[in-house]
Amino acid sequence: MLQASSINLSLPLSWQKGDYLVTTDREKISLDLVHGFLSNESTWAKNIPRLTVARAIEYSLCFALFSNEVQIGFARVITDYATIAYLGDVFVLEAHRGQGLSRWLMECVTNHPDLQGLRRWMLLTSDAHGLYEKSGFTALGAPSKWMEKFTINAYENTNVNASQC
């Protein structure tokens, strides 16, 4: 039988830096902002349905970045809290870039107490290698060992027929 976990997922954490705040409190996340950025401005999730973003937030450990109580950034971690974490959907709105906020957001993410001792962190990026390298990420050491199942234009057809499984 499994023993009770020492991870308390119901308690949000927060970090303050001047007028900026990072929190894992899902109640404070603006679905409109996150969906709007991912669907319209990101290069990796163009046209992602709002419901898909809502589900992703619900089942992930999310970090929202605020300036004077207005959300200006976001990051999401998919994890089992024991061995592995996948980092995705990291952004800071353009008007707030160049102030070290992405770096601070990454420090909050990677230093979260429930994400310590993981064997592997993963992420995909096309243009932010420098940011992630500052947080300890490197290129794949053995890319030939990795496989993926990738659906191009996944958000164009969201009608999945579960009876086909």
Coordinates of all heavy atoms in Angstrom, one line a residue, residues 46-140:
K46 N -0.2 27.8 -31.6 CA -1.1 28.6 -32.4 C -2.5 27.9 -32.4 O -2.6 26.7 -32.7 CB -0.6 28.8 -33.8 CG 0.5 29.8 -33.9 CD 0.0 31.2 -33.8 CE 1.2 32.2 -34.1 NZ 1.0 33.4 -33.4
N47 N -3.5 28.7 -32.2 CA -4.9 28.3 -32.3 C -5.3 27.2 -31.3 O -6.3 26.5 -31.5 CB -5.2 27.8 -33.8 CG -5.0 28.9 -34.8 OD1 -5.3 30.0 -34.6 ND2 -4.3 28.5 -35.9
I48 N -4.6 27.1 -30.2 CA -5.0 26.1 -29.2 C -6.3 26.4 -28.6 O -6.6 27.6 -28.3 CB -3.9 26.0 -28.1 CG1 -4.2 24.8 -27.2 CG2 -3.7 27.3 -27.3 CD1 -3.0 24.5 -26.2
P49 N -7.2 25.5 -28.5 CA -8.5 25.8 -28.0 C -8.5 26.2 -26.5 O -7.7 25.7 -25.8 CB -9.3 24.5 -28.2 CG -8.6 23.7 -29.2 CD -7.1 24.1 -29.1
R50 N -9.4 27.1 -26.1 CA -9.5 27.5 -24.8 C -9.7 26.4 -23.8 O -9.0 26.3 -22.7 CB -10.6 28.5 -24.6 CG -10.8 29.2 -23.3 CD -12.0 30.1 -23.3 NE -12.3 30.6 -22.0 CZ -11.7 31.7 -21.4 NH1 -10.7 32.3 -22.1 NH2 -12.0 32.0 -20.2
L51 N -10.5 25.4 -24.1 CA -10.7 24.3 -23.3 C -9.5 23.4 -23.1 O -9.2 22.9 -22.0 CB -11.8 23.4 -23.8 CG -12.2 22.1 -23.0 CD1 -12.6 22.5 -21.6 CD2 -13.3 21.3 -23.7
T52 N -8.6 23.3 -24.1 CA -7.4 22.6 -24.0 C -6.4 23.3 -23.0 O -5.8 22.7 -22.1 CB -6.7 22.5 -25.3 OG1 -7.6 21.8 -26.2 CG2 -5.4 21.7 -25.3
V53 N -6.4 24.6 -23.1 CA -5.6 25.4 -22.1 C -6.1 25.2 -20.7 O -5.3 25.0 -19.8 CB -5.5 26.9 -22.5 CG1 -4.7 27.7 -21.5 CG2 -4.9 27.1 -23.9
A54 N -7.4 25.3 -20.5 CA -8.0 25.2 -19.2 C -7.7 23.8 -18.6 O -7.3 23.7 -17.4 CB -9.5 25.4 -19.3
R55 N -7.7 22.7 -19.4 CA -7.4 21.4 -18.9 C -5.9 21.3 -18.6 O -5.5 20.7 -17.6 CB -7.8 20.4 -20.0 CG -9.3 20.1 -20.1 CD -9.7 19.2 -21.2 NE -8.9 17.9 -21.1 CZ -8.8 17.2 -22.2 NH1 -9.2 17.5 -23.4 NH2 -8.1 16.0 -22.1
A56 N -5.1 21.9 -19.4 CA -3.6 21.8 -19.2 C -3.3 22.5 -17.9 O -2.5 22.0 -17.1 CB -2.9 22.5 -20.3
I57 N -3.9 23.7 -17.6 CA -3.7 24.4 -16.3 C -4.2 23.5 -15.2 O -3.5 23.4 -14.1 CB -4.4 25.8 -16.4 CG1 -3.6 26.7 -17.3 CG2 -4.5 26.4 -15.0 CD1 -4.4 28.0 -17.6
E58 N -5.4 22.9 -15.3 CA -6.0 22.1 -14.2 C -5.1 21.0 -13.8 O -5.0 20.6 -12.6 CB -7.3 21.6 -14.6 CG -8.0 20.8 -13.6 CD -9.4 20.4 -14.0 OE1 -9.9 20.8 -15.1 OE2 -10.0 19.6 -13.2
Y59 N -4.4 20.3 -14.8 CA -3.6 19.1 -14.5 C -2.1 19.4 -14.4 O -1.4 18.4 -14.6 CB -4.0 18.0 -15.5 CG -5.4 17.6 -15.3 CD1 -6.4 18.0 -16.2 CD2 -5.8 16.8 -14.2 CE1 -7.7 17.6 -16.0 CE2 -7.1 16.4 -14.0 CZ -8.1 16.8 -14.9 OH -9.4 16.4 -14.7
S60 N -1.7 20.6 -14.2 CA -0.3 20.9 -14.2 C 0.0 21.8 -13.0 O -0.9 22.4 -12.4 CB 0.1 21.7 -15.4 OG -0.1 21.0 -16.6
L61 N 1.3 21.8 -12.6 CA 1.7 22.8 -11.6 C 2.1 24.1 -12.4 O 3.0 24.1 -13.2 CB 3.0 22.3 -10.9 CG 3.6 23.2 -9.9 CD1 2.6 23.6 -8.8 CD2 4.9 22.6 -9.3
C62 N 1.3 25.1 -12.1 CA 1.4 26.3 -12.9 C 2.0 27.5 -12.0 O 1.8 27.5 -10.8 CB 0.1 26.8 -13.4 SG -0.6 25.6 -14.5
F63 N 2.8 28.3 -12.7 CA 3.4 29.5 -12.1 C 2.9 30.7 -12.9 O 3.2 30.8 -14.1 CB 4.9 29.3 -12.2 CG 5.5 28.2 -11.5 CD1 5.4 26.9 -11.9 CD2 6.1 28.4 -10.2 CE1 5.9 25.8 -11.3 CE2 6.7 27.3 -9.5 CZ 6.6 26.0 -10.0
A64 N 2.3 31.6 -12.2 CA 1.8 32.9 -12.8 C 2.7 34.0 -12.3 O 3.0 34.1 -11.1 CB 0.4 33.1 -12.4
L65 N 3.1 34.9 -13.2 CA 3.9 36.0 -12.9 C 3.1 37.3 -12.9 O 2.4 37.5 -13.9 CB 5.1 36.1 -13.9 CG 6.0 37.4 -13.8 CD1 6.7 37.5 -12.5 CD2 7.0 37.3 -15.0
F66 N 3.1 38.1 -11.9 CA 2.3 39.3 -11.8 C 3.2 40.5 -11.6 O 4.2 40.5 -10.9 CB 1.3 39.2 -10.6 CG 0.3 38.2 -10.8 CD1 0.5 36.8 -10.5 CD2 -1.0 38.5 -11.3 CE1 -0.5 35.9 -10.7 CE2 -1.9 37.6 -11.5 CZ -1.7 36.2 -11.2
S67 N 2.7 41.7 -12.1 CA 3.2 43.0 -11.8 C 2.1 43.8 -11.3 O 1.1 44.0 -12.0 CB 3.8 43.6 -13.1 OG 4.1 45.0 -12.9
N68 N 2.2 44.2 -10.0 CA 1.2 45.0 -9.4 C -0.2 44.3 -9.6 O -1.2 45.0 -10.0 CB 1.2 46.4 -9.9 CG 2.4 47.1 -9.5 OD1 2.9 47.1 -8.3 ND2 3.1 47.8 -10.4
E69 N -0.3 43.0 -9.3 CA -1.5 42.3 -9.4 C -2.1 42.1 -10.8 O -3.2 41.6 -10.9 CB -2.6 42.9 -8.4 CG -2.1 42.9 -7.0 CD -3.2 43.4 -6.0 OE1 -4.4 43.3 -6.4 OE2 -2.8 43.9 -5.0
V70 N -1.3 42.4 -11.8 CA -1.7 42.1 -13.2 C -0.8 41.0 -13.7 O 0.4 41.1 -13.7 CB -1.6 43.4 -14.1 CG1 -1.9 43.1 -15.5 CG2 -2.5 44.5 -13.5
Q71 N -1.4 39.9 -14.3 CA -0.6 38.8 -14.8 C 0.1 39.2 -16.0 O -0.5 39.8 -17.0 CB -1.5 37.6 -15.0 CG -0.6 36.4 -15.4 CD -1.4 35.1 -15.5 OE1 -2.6 35.0 -15.1 NE2 -0.7 34.1 -16.0
I72 N 1.4 38.9 -16.0 CA 2.3 39.3 -17.1 C 3.1 38.1 -17.7 O 3.9 38.3 -18.6 CB 3.2 40.5 -16.8 CG1 4.1 40.1 -15.6 CG2 2.4 41.7 -16.5 CD1 5.3 41.0 -15.4
G73 N 3.0 37.0 -17.0 CA 3.8 35.8 -17.4 C 3.2 34.5 -16.9 O 2.3 34.5 -16.1
F74 N 3.8 33.4 -17.4 CA 3.3 32.1 -17.0 C 4.3 31.0 -17.3 O 5.2 31.2 -18.2 CB 2.0 31.8 -17.9 CG 1.3 30.6 -17.6 CD1 0.5 30.4 -16.5 CD2 1.5 29.5 -18.5 CE1 -0.2 29.2 -16.3 CE2 0.8 28.3 -18.3 CZ 0.0 28.2 -17.2
A75 N 4.3 29.9 -16.6 CA 5.0 28.7 -16.9 C 4.2 27.6 -16.3 O 3.5 27.7 -15.4 CB 6.4 28.8 -16.2
R76 N 4.4 26.4 -16.9 CA 3.6 25.2 -16.6 C 4.6 24.0 -16.5 O 5.4 23.8 -17.4 CB 2.5 25.0 -17.6 CG 1.5 23.9 -17.3 CD 0.4 24.1 -18.3 NE 0.8 23.7 -19.7 CZ 0.8 22.5 -20.2 NH1 0.5 21.5 -19.4 NH2 1.1 22.3 -21.4
V77 N 4.4 23.2 -15.4 CA 5.2 22.0 -15.3 C 4.2 20.8 -15.2 O 3.3 20.8 -14.4 CB 6.1 22.1 -14.0 CG1 6.8 20.8 -13.8 CG2 7.0 23.3 -14.0
I78 N 4.5 19.8 -16.0 CA 3.8 18.5 -16.0 C 4.8 17.6 -15.3 O 5.9 17.4 -15.7 CB 3.5 18.0 -17.4 CG1 2.7 19.1 -18.1 CG2 2.7 16.7 -17.3 CD1 2.8 18.9 -19.6
T79 N 4.3 16.9 -14.2 CA 5.3 16.1 -13.4 C 4.6 15.0 -12.6 O 3.4 15.1 -12.3 CB 6.1 17.0 -12.4 OG1 7.0 16.2 -11.7 CG2 5.2 17.7 -11.4
D80 N 5.4 14.0 -12.2 CA 4.9 13.0 -11.2 C 5.4 13.4 -9.8 O 5.1 12.6 -8.9 CB 5.3 11.6 -11.6 CG 6.8 11.4 -11.7 OD1 7.6 12.3 -11.3 OD2 7.2 10.3 -12.2
Y81 N 6.1 14.4 -9.7 CA 6.7 14.9 -8.4 C 7.7 14.0 -7.8 O 8.1 14.1 -6.7 CB 5.6 15.2 -7.4 CG 4.7 16.4 -7.8 CD1 3.5 16.1 -8.4 CD2 5.1 17.7 -7.5 CE1 2.7 17.2 -8.8 CE2 4.3 18.7 -7.9 CZ 3.1 18.5 -8.5 OH 2.2 19.5 -8.9
A82 N 8.2 13.0 -8.6 CA 9.1 12.0 -8.0 C 10.3 11.8 -8.9 O 11.5 11.8 -8.4 CB 8.4 10.7 -7.8
T83 N 10.1 11.8 -10.2 CA 11.2 11.4 -11.1 C 11.4 12.3 -12.3 O 12.5 12.5 -12.8 CB 11.1 10.0 -11.7 OG1 9.9 9.9 -12.5 CG2 11.0 9.0 -10.5
I84 N 10.4 13.0 -12.8 CA 10.5 13.7 -14.1 C 9.5 14.9 -14.1 O 8.5 14.9 -13.5 CB 10.1 12.7 -15.2 CG1 10.5 13.3 -16.6 CG2 8.7 12.3 -15.2 CD1 10.6 12.3 -17.7
A85 N 10.0 15.9 -14.9 CA 9.1 17.1 -15.1 C 9.3 17.6 -16.5 O 10.4 17.6 -17.0 CB 9.5 18.2 -14.1
Y86 N 8.2 18.0 -17.1 CA 8.3 18.6 -18.4 C 7.8 20.1 -18.2 O 6.8 20.4 -17.7 CB 7.3 17.9 -19.4 CG 7.2 18.6 -20.7 CD1 8.2 18.3 -21.7 CD2 6.3 19.5 -21.0 CE1 8.1 19.0 -22.9 CE2 6.2 20.2 -22.2 CZ 7.1 19.9 -23.2 OH 7.1 20.5 -24.4
L87 N 8.7 21.0 -18.7 CA 8.4 22.4 -18.6 C 7.9 22.9 -19.9 O 8.4 22.7 -21.0 CB 9.7 23.2 -18.3 CG 9.6 24.7 -18.2 CD1 8.7 25.2 -17.1 CD2 11.1 25.2 -18.0
G88 N 6.8 23.7 -19.9 CA 6.2 24.2 -21.1 C 5.5 25.5 -20.9 O 5.2 25.9 -19.8
D89 N 5.1 26.1 -22.0 CA 4.2 27.3 -22.0 C 4.8 28.4 -21.2 O 4.1 29.2 -20.5 CB 2.8 27.0 -21.6 CG 2.1 26.0 -22.5 OD1 2.5 25.9 -23.7 OD2 1.2 25.3 -22.0
V90 N 6.1 28.6 -21.3 CA 6.8 29.7 -20.5 C 6.8 31.0 -21.4 O 7.2 31.0 -22.5 CB 8.3 29.3 -20.2 CG1 9.0 30.4 -19.5 CG2 8.3 28.0 -19.5
F91 N 6.3 32.0 -20.8 CA 6.3 33.3 -21.4 C 6.2 34.5 -20.5 O 5.7 34.3 -19.4 CB 5.1 33.4 -22.5 CG 3.8 33.5 -21.9 CD1 3.2 34.7 -21.5 CD2 3.0 32.4 -21.8 CE1 1.9 34.8 -21.0 CE2 1.7 32.5 -21.3 CZ 1.2 33.7 -20.9
V92 N 6.7 35.6 -20.9 CA 6.6 36.9 -20.2 C 6.1 37.8 -21.3 O 6.7 37.8 -22.4 CB 7.9 37.4 -19.6 CG1 7.7 38.8 -19.1 CG2 8.3 36.5 -18.5
L93 N 5.1 38.6 -21.1 CA 4.6 39.5 -22.1 C 5.6 40.5 -22.6 O 6.5 40.9 -21.8 CB 3.4 40.3 -21.5 CG 2.1 39.4 -21.2 CD1 1.0 40.4 -20.6 CD2 1.6 38.7 -22.4
E94 N 5.6 40.8 -23.8 CA 6.7 41.5 -24.5 C 7.0 42.9 -23.7 O 8.1 43.2 -23.6 CB 6.3 41.8 -25.9 CG 7.4 42.4 -26.7 CD 7.2 42.5 -28.2 OE1 6.2 41.9 -28.7 OE2 8.0 43.1 -28.9
A95 N 6.0 43.5 -23.3 CA 6.2 44.8 -22.6 C 7.0 44.7 -21.3 O 7.5 45.7 -20.8 CB 4.8 45.5 -22.3
H96 N 7.1 43.5 -20.8 CA 7.8 43.3 -19.5 C 9.1 42.5 -19.7 O 9.8 42.1 -18.7 CB 6.9 42.6 -18.5 CG 5.7 43.4 -18.2 ND1 5.7 44.3 -17.2 CD2 4.5 43.3 -18.8 CE1 4.5 44.8 -17.2 NE2 3.7 44.3 -18.1
R97 N 9.5 42.3 -20.9 CA 10.8 41.6 -21.2 C 12.0 42.5 -21.0 O 11.9 43.7 -21.0 CB 10.8 41.0 -22.6 CG 9.7 39.9 -22.7 CD 9.6 39.3 -24.1 NE 8.5 38.5 -24.2 CZ 7.9 38.1 -25.4 NH1 8.5 38.5 -26.5 NH2 6.9 37.3 -25.4
G98 N 13.2 41.8 -20.8 CA 14.4 42.6 -20.7 C 14.7 43.1 -19.3 O 15.5 43.9 -19.1
Q99 N 13.9 42.6 -18.3 CA 14.1 43.0 -16.9 C 14.5 41.8 -16.0 O 14.5 42.0 -14.8 CB 12.8 43.6 -16.4 CG 12.2 44.7 -17.2 CD 10.9 45.2 -16.7 OE1 10.7 45.5 -15.5 NE2 9.9 45.2 -17.6
G100 N 14.9 40.7 -16.7 CA 15.3 39.5 -15.9 C 14.1 38.7 -15.3 O 14.3 37.9 -14.5
L101 N 12.9 39.0 -15.7 CA 11.7 38.4 -15.2 C 11.6 36.9 -15.6 O 11.2 36.0 -14.8 CB 10.5 39.1 -15.5 CG 10.4 40.5 -14.9 CD1 9.2 41.3 -15.4 CD2 10.3 40.4 -13.3
S102 N 12.0 36.6 -16.8 CA 12.0 35.2 -17.3 C 13.0 34.4 -16.5 O 12.7 33.3 -16.1 CB 12.4 35.1 -18.8 OG 11.4 35.8 -19.6
R103 N 14.2 34.9 -16.2 CA 15.2 34.2 -15.4 C 14.6 34.0 -14.0 O 14.8 32.9 -13.5 CB 16.5 35.1 -15.4 CG 17.5 34.6 -14.5 CD 18.3 33.4 -15.1 NE 19.1 32.7 -14.2 CZ 20.4 33.0 -14.0 NH1 21.0 33.9 -14.8 NH2 21.1 32.3 -13.2
W104 N 14.0 35.0 -13.4 CA 13.5 34.9 -12.1 C 12.3 33.9 -12.1 O 12.3 33.0 -11.1 CB 13.0 36.2 -11.5 CG 12.5 36.2 -10.2 CD1 13.1 35.6 -9.1 CD2 11.2 36.6 -9.7 NE1 12.2 35.7 -8.0 CE2 11.1 36.4 -8.4 CE3 10.1 37.2 -10.4 CZ2 9.9 36.7 -7.6 CZ3 9.0 37.6 -9.6 CH2 8.9 37.3 -8.3
L105 N 11.5 33.9 -13.1 CA 10.4 32.9 -13.2 C 11.0 31.5 -13.2 O 10.5 30.6 -12.5 CB 9.5 33.2 -14.4 CG 8.4 32.2 -14.7 CD1 7.4 32.2 -13.5 CD2 7.7 32.7 -16.0
M106 N 12.0 31.3 -14.0 CA 12.7 30.0 -14.1 C 13.3 29.6 -12.7 O 13.2 28.4 -12.4 CB 13.7 30.0 -15.2 CG 13.1 30.0 -16.6 SD 12.1 28.5 -16.8 CE 13.2 27.2 -16.4
E107 N 13.9 30.5 -12.0 CA 14.4 30.2 -10.7 C 13.3 29.7 -9.8 O 13.5 28.8 -9.0 CB 15.1 31.4 -10.1 CG 16.4 31.8 -10.8 CD 17.0 33.1 -10.2 OE1 16.5 33.7 -9.3 OE2 18.0 33.6 -10.9
C108 N 12.2 30.4 -9.8 CA 11.0 30.0 -9.0 C 10.6 28.6 -9.3 O 10.3 27.8 -8.5 CB 9.9 31.0 -9.1 SG 10.2 32.7 -8.5
V109 N 10.5 28.3 -10.6 CA 10.0 27.0 -11.1 C 11.0 25.9 -10.6 O 10.6 24.9 -10.0 CB 9.9 27.0 -12.6 CG1 9.7 25.6 -13.2 CG2 8.7 27.9 -13.1
T110 N 12.3 26.1 -11.0 CA 13.2 25.0 -10.7 C 13.6 24.9 -9.2 O 14.1 23.8 -8.8 CB 14.5 25.2 -11.5 OG1 15.1 26.5 -11.2 CG2 14.3 25.1 -13.0
N111 N 13.3 25.9 -8.4 CA 13.5 25.8 -7.0 C 12.3 25.5 -6.2 O 12.4 25.4 -4.9 CB 14.1 27.1 -6.4 CG 15.5 27.4 -6.9 OD1 16.3 26.4 -7.0 ND2 15.8 28.6 -7.3
H112 N 11.2 25.2 -6.8 CA 10.0 24.8 -6.1 C 10.3 23.6 -5.2 O 10.9 22.6 -5.7 CB 8.8 24.5 -7.1 CG 7.5 24.3 -6.4 ND1 7.2 23.2 -5.7 CD2 6.4 25.1 -6.4 CE1 6.0 23.2 -5.2 NE2 5.5 24.4 -5.6
P113 N 9.9 23.6 -4.0 CA 10.3 22.5 -3.1 C 9.8 21.1 -3.5 O 10.5 20.1 -3.2 CB 9.8 22.9 -1.7 CG 8.9 24.1 -1.9 CD 9.2 24.7 -3.2
D114 N 8.7 21.1 -4.1 CA 8.1 19.8 -4.5 C 8.7 19.2 -5.8 O 8.4 18.1 -6.3 CB 6.6 19.8 -4.7 CG 5.9 20.1 -3.4 OD1 6.5 19.7 -2.3 OD2 4.8 20.5 -3.4
L115 N 9.6 20.0 -6.4 CA 10.3 19.6 -7.7 C 11.8 19.3 -7.5 O 12.5 19.2 -8.5 CB 10.1 20.7 -8.8 CG 8.6 21.0 -9.1 CD1 8.5 22.1 -10.1 CD2 7.9 19.7 -9.6
Q116 N 12.2 19.1 -6.3 CA 13.6 18.8 -6.0 C 13.9 17.3 -6.0 O 13.0 16.5 -5.7 CB 14.0 19.4 -4.6 CG 13.8 20.9 -4.5 CD 14.3 21.7 -5.7 OE1 15.6 21.7 -5.9 NE2 13.5 22.4 -6.4
G117 N 15.0 17.0 -6.5 CA 15.4 15.6 -6.5 C 14.9 14.8 -7.7 O 15.1 13.6 -7.8
L118 N 14.4 15.5 -8.7 CA 13.9 14.8 -9.9 C 15.1 14.3 -10.7 O 16.1 15.0 -10.8 CB 13.0 15.7 -10.8 CG 11.8 16.3 -10.1 CD1 11.1 17.3 -11.1 CD2 10.8 15.2 -9.7
R119 N 14.9 13.2 -11.4 CA 16.0 12.7 -12.2 C 16.2 13.4 -13.5 O 17.2 13.6 -14.0 CB 15.7 11.2 -12.5 CG 16.9 10.5 -13.3 CD 16.6 9.1 -13.6 NE 15.4 9.0 -14.5 CZ 14.4 8.2 -14.3 NH1 14.3 7.4 -13.3 NH2 13.4 8.2 -15.2
R120 N 15.0 13.9 -14.0 CA 15.1 14.5 -15.4 C 14.1 15.6 -15.5 O 12.9 15.5 -15.1 CB 14.9 13.5 -16.4 CG 14.9 14.1 -17.8 CD 15.0 13.0 -18.9 NE 16.4 12.5 -18.9 CZ 16.7 11.2 -19.0 NH1 15.8 10.3 -19.0 NH2 18.0 10.9 -19.0
W121 N 14.5 16.7 -16.0 CA 13.6 17.8 -16.5 C 13.7 17.8 -18.0 O 14.8 17.6 -18.6 CB 14.1 19.2 -16.0 CG 13.8 19.5 -14.6 CD1 14.5 19.0 -13.5 CD2 12.9 20.4 -14.0 NE1 14.0 19.5 -12.3 CE2 13.0 20.4 -12.7 CE3 11.9 21.2 -14.7 CZ2 12.2 21.2 -11.8 CZ3 11.1 22.0 -13.9 CH2 11.2 21.9 -12.5
M122 N 12.6 18.2 -18.7 CA 12.6 18.3 -20.2 C 11.9 19.5 -20.6 O 11.0 20.0 -19.9 CB 11.9 17.1 -20.8 CG 12.5 15.7 -20.4 SD 11.5 14.4 -21.2 CE 9.9 14.7 -20.5
L123 N 12.2 20.0 -21.8 CA 11.5 21.1 -22.4 C 11.9 21.1 -23.9 O 12.8 20.5 -24.3 CB 11.8 22.4 -21.7 CG 13.3 23.0 -21.8 CD1 13.5 23.7 -23.1 CD2 13.5 23.9 -20.7
L124 N 11.1 21.9 -24.6 CA 11.3 22.1 -26.0 C 11.4 23.6 -26.2 O 10.6 24.4 -25.6 CB 10.2 21.6 -26.9 CG 10.0 20.1 -26.9 CD1 8.7 19.7 -27.6 CD2 11.2 19.4 -27.6
T125 N 12.4 24.1 -27.0 CA 12.5 25.5 -27.3 C 13.1 25.7 -28.7 O 13.9 24.9 -29.1 CB 13.3 26.3 -26.2 OG1 13.2 27.7 -26.5 CG2 14.7 25.8 -26.2
S126 N 12.6 26.7 -29.4 CA 13.2 27.0 -30.7 C 14.1 28.2 -30.6 O 15.0 28.4 -31.4 CB 12.1 27.2 -31.7 OG 11.3 28.3 -31.3
D127 N 14.0 29.0 -29.5 CA 14.7 30.3 -29.5 C 15.2 30.8 -28.1 O 15.7 31.9 -28.0 CB 13.9 31.4 -30.2 CG 12.6 31.7 -29.5 OD1 12.3 31.0 -28.5 OD2 11.9 32.5 -30.0
A128 N 15.0 30.0 -27.1 CA 15.3 30.5 -25.7 C 16.3 29.6 -25.0 O 16.3 29.5 -23.8 CB 14.0 30.6 -24.9
H129 N 17.2 29.1 -25.8 CA 18.2 28.2 -25.3 C 19.1 28.8 -24.2 O 19.3 28.3 -23.1 CB 19.2 27.6 -26.4 CG 18.4 26.8 -27.4 ND1 17.7 27.3 -28.4 CD2 18.4 25.4 -27.5 CE1 17.1 26.3 -29.1 NE2 17.6 25.2 -28.6
G130 N 19.4 30.1 -24.4 CA 20.2 30.8 -23.4 C 19.6 31.0 -22.1 O 20.2 30.8 -21.0
L131 N 18.3 31.3 -22.1 CA 17.5 31.4 -20.8 C 17.5 30.1 -20.1 O 17.8 30.0 -18.9 CB 16.0 31.8 -21.1 CG 15.1 31.6 -19.9 CD1 15.4 32.6 -18.9 CD2 13.6 31.8 -20.4
Y132 N 17.3 29.0 -20.8 CA 17.2 27.7 -20.1 C 18.5 27.1 -19.7 O 18.6 26.5 -18.6 CB 16.4 26.7 -21.0 CG 15.0 27.2 -21.2 CD1 14.5 27.4 -22.5 CD2 14.1 27.4 -20.2 CE1 13.3 27.9 -22.7 CE2 12.8 27.8 -20.4 CZ 12.4 28.1 -21.7 OH 11.1 28.5 -21.9
E133 N 19.6 27.5 -20.4 CA 20.9 27.1 -20.0 C 21.3 27.7 -18.7 O 22.0 27.1 -17.9 CB 21.9 27.4 -21.1 CG 21.8 26.5 -22.3 CD 22.6 27.0 -23.5 OE1 23.2 28.2 -23.5 OE2 22.7 26.3 -24.5
K134 N 20.8 28.9 -18.4 CA 21.1 29.6 -17.1 C 20.4 28.8 -16.0 O 20.8 29.0 -14.8 CB 20.6 31.0 -17.2 CG 21.5 31.9 -18.1 CD 20.9 33.3 -18.2 CE 21.7 34.1 -19.3 NZ 21.0 35.3 -19.6
S135 N 19.4 28.0 -16.3 CA 18.8 27.2 -15.2 C 19.2 25.8 -15.2 O 18.6 24.9 -14.6 CB 17.3 27.3 -15.5 OG 16.8 28.6 -15.3
G136 N 20.3 25.5 -15.9 CA 20.9 24.2 -15.9 C 20.5 23.2 -17.0 O 21.0 22.1 -17.0
F137 N 19.7 23.6 -17.9 CA 19.3 22.8 -19.0 C 20.4 22.7 -20.1 O 21.1 23.7 -20.2 CB 18.0 23.3 -19.7 CG 16.8 23.1 -18.9 CD1 16.4 24.0 -17.9 CD2 16.0 22.0 -19.1 CE1 15.2 23.9 -17.2 CE2 14.8 21.8 -18.3 CZ 14.5 22.8 -17.3
T138 N 20.5 21.6 -20.7 CA 21.5 21.4 -21.8 C 20.8 20.7 -23.0 O 19.7 20.2 -22.8 CB 22.6 20.5 -21.3 OG1 22.1 19.2 -21.0 CG2 23.4 21.1 -20.1
A139 N 21.5 20.7 -24.1 CA 21.0 19.9 -25.2 C 21.0 18.4 -24.8 O 21.7 18.0 -23.9 CB 21.9 20.1 -26.4
L140 N 20.2 17.7 -25.5 CA 20.1 16.2 -25.2 C 21.4 15.6 -25.3 O 22.1 15.8 -26.3 CB 19.1 15.5 -26.2 CG 17.6 15.9 -26.0 CD1 16.8 15.2 -27.2 CD2 17.1 15.5 -24.7

